[in-house]
Amino acid sequence: MKTIRLQADHPADIIRAGEILRQGGLVGIPTETVYGLAADALNGEAVAKIFKAKGRPMDNPLIVHISEISQWKKLVREIPESARKLAETYWPGPLTIILPKSDCIPDEVSAGLETVAVRFPAHPAARAVIEAAGTPLAAPSGNLSGKPSPTTAHTMLEDMDGRIEAVLDGGPCQVGVESTVVTLATQPPRLLRPGGITLEQLRQVLGEVEMDEAVLNPLKAGEHPASPGMKYKHYAPKANVIIVDGPYESYCAYVNGQKVPGVAAMCYNGEEARLEVPAVCYGGEEDYDEQAREVFDALRKLDELGAKTVYARCPEPKGVGLAVYNRLIRAAGFEVLHVD
Ligand code: TXA
Ligand code: MG
């Protein structure tokens, strides 16, 4: 299949993307978080193609994207007051809300669960495509299953060229990590995946919000996570990533002591000066937004360098930094080394 390149600032290309989606095809679309791999959410056959293109396990459900709050009603059994308040505060934006699903959701989308995840993205091109398609769009991140999520059309094509009908280029993503996922299908509400909307922001609207164990910890053998995506190895480059937790001095001493060909570092901006191995920066030490924007690209760049082993500076799990930490510990298969 030849993957067509479309431009988000060309109105004719938005219409074209909408047509492809209406006809059951797959289109890579920009959102403010990461690029998504979209299909008509109400067409089970079209949605099934997403799983094939990504190599995604069929038991991992998808997020349904809408372009107006009014489209939500049809997708869920009911919208409780708490959900409405949350949506009014943070939509459109990097927040996904899970509720019991309605009958119009194909099994392919919910992967056998009784709930559905819905998101109203802020990116104007994402909303324009949903409107052009005339249907809500199911869209996981546009990477091959297990790889870091793409934050540009170019990185999406690295994984998807030849596998999907088109990619719509809308420039680099503003947030850089996937949306916050919260379920209101349980009481109290529970954070399943941290993202651009922080735990503190959720609590401001909802009061009590629990954080799912799987946000920070590996699953124990045989355990069933609330969010099926959490049981898979994720965001991993080809290199073996190890997180090094400790002060900068100790980090440098440790990494420089490991200096052999194939060893690389993933550090904060400006820290590469004292490292004796190739280094890729992933943002300023206290700039969690920048870290979120850079983290996936940094992981892909380390592969381009041919790194075999990567020692990554441990992110601070605060605010949006919690999302960065969550992605990086998964990329590292939960391998964290403590140095003093
Ligand atoms: O920012 C985002 O959310 C991006 C862009 C494209 O919108 N999408 C995204 O989708 O990250 P995906 O499929 O890569 O991640 C969705 C996560 C998975 O971990 C999945 O298991 C979980 O959300 N999920 C989806 N529906 C669910 C449900 N009904 N119950 C529990 N978890 C669900
Ligand atoms: Mg994903």
Side-chain angles (χ1 to χ4, degrees):
M1 180 186 311
K2 173 138 180 42
T3 302
I4 311 167
R5 273 69 164 169
L6 300 171
Q7 289 296 331
D9 51 1
H10 295 173
D13 283 7
I14 299 275
I15 292 169
R16 186 73 208 281
E19 274 166 11
I20 296 170
L21 289 160
R22 258 203 318 279
Q23 289 161 7
L26 303 184
V27 180
I29 61 165
T31 83
E32 72 278 23
T33 57
V34 300
Y35 273 71
L37 177 49
D40 177 353
L42 304 182
N43 175 348
E45 245 172 73
V47 172
K49 294 183 198 164
I50 293 179
F51 288 86
K52 204 162 164 233
K54 276 185 65 107
R56 181 177 176 106
M58 290 298 290
D59 67 350
N60 193 2
L62 304 178
I63 296 171
V64 177
H65 297 68
I66 56 177
S67 57
E68 276 174 57
I69 290 197
S70 60
Q71 295 167 324
W72 196 14
K73 216 168 122 190
K74 186 178 155 194
L75 306 174
V76 294
R77 236 183 285 149
E78 65 169 327
I79 301 175
E81 188 49 32
S82 57
R84 176 146 325 266
K85 263 186 13 205
L86 202 57
E88 277 166 8
T89 314
Y90 299 120
W91 277 359
L95 174 68
T96 296
I97 302 175
I98 295 177
L99 286 170
K101 66 172 188 146
S102 74
D103 293 338
C104 77
I105 301 294
D107 286 339
E108 287 84 355
V109 169
S110 49
L113 299 179
E114 284 306 308
T115 53
V116 65
V118 178
R119 175 160 114 78
F120 179 178
H123 197 297
R127 292 157 66 178
V129 174
I130 300 166
E131 269 161 39
T135 172
L137 299 178
S141 50
N143 49 288
L144 286 173
S145 205
K147 297 275 289 295
S149 301
T151 55
T152 62
H154 174 78
T155 46
M156 172 138 191
L157 279 165
E158 278 174 13
D159 281 10
M160 290 298 156
D161 200 8
R163 292 173 171 260
I164 62 178
E165 275 76 9
V167 170
L168 181 70
D169 191 342
C173 300
Q174 291 301 304
V175 179
V177 291
E178 306 85 346
S179 61
T180 301
V181 178
V182 63
T183 180
L184 299 185
T186 59
Q187 220 6 277
R190 180 178 284 255
L191 173 70
L192 300 184
R193 180 177 73 182
I197 301 296
T198 64
L199 186 57
E200 298 75 19
Q201 285 176 302
L202 295 177
R203 286 181 175 148
Q204 274 166 25
V205 175
L206 297 173
E208 189 185 359
V209 178
E210 284 180 351
M211 183 160 79
D212 200 82
E213 277 271 312
V215 169
L216 295 177
N217 302 297
L219 286 170
K220 296 172 199 95
E223 206 173 354
H224 291 286
S227 181
M230 298 217 203
K231 72 178 172 225
Y232 299 108
K233 187 168 168 129
H234 251 115
Y235 317 118
K238 292 188 198 93
N240 181 32
V241 179
I242 298 156
I243 293 182
V244 181
D245 182 26
Y248 176 44
E249 303 285 315
S250 319
Y251 172 78
C252 292
Y254 182 80
V255 174
N256 289 339
Q258 306 297 311
K259 188 169 102 181
V260 287
V263 167
M266 184 170 160
C267 58
Y268 297 133
N269 293 351
E271 293 187 340
E272 65 279 16
R274 287 190 40 203
L275 292 165
E276 295 162 18
V277 301
V280 172
C281 301
Y282 75 101
E285 179 164 9
E286 279 164 22
D287 192 341
Y288 307 136
D289 290 334
E290 188 181 24
Q291 291 170 23
R293 237 172 5 249
E294 301 287 331
V295 64
F296 287 137
D297 241 30
L299 289 169
R300 284 188 186 251
K301 276 191 197 130
L302 287 156
D303 275 346
E304 284 163 25
L305 283 179
K308 300 274 178 297
T309 305
V310 172
Y311 294 102
R313 275 276 258 155
C314 188
E316 194 75 53
K318 277 192 220 150
V320 177
L322 180 64
V324 179
Y325 183 85
N326 168 274
R327 305 310 188 272
L328 213 48
I329 46 167
R330 282 178 165 69
F334 293 91
E335 205 176 337
V336 182
L337 226 147
H338 300 274
V339 294
D340 294 312

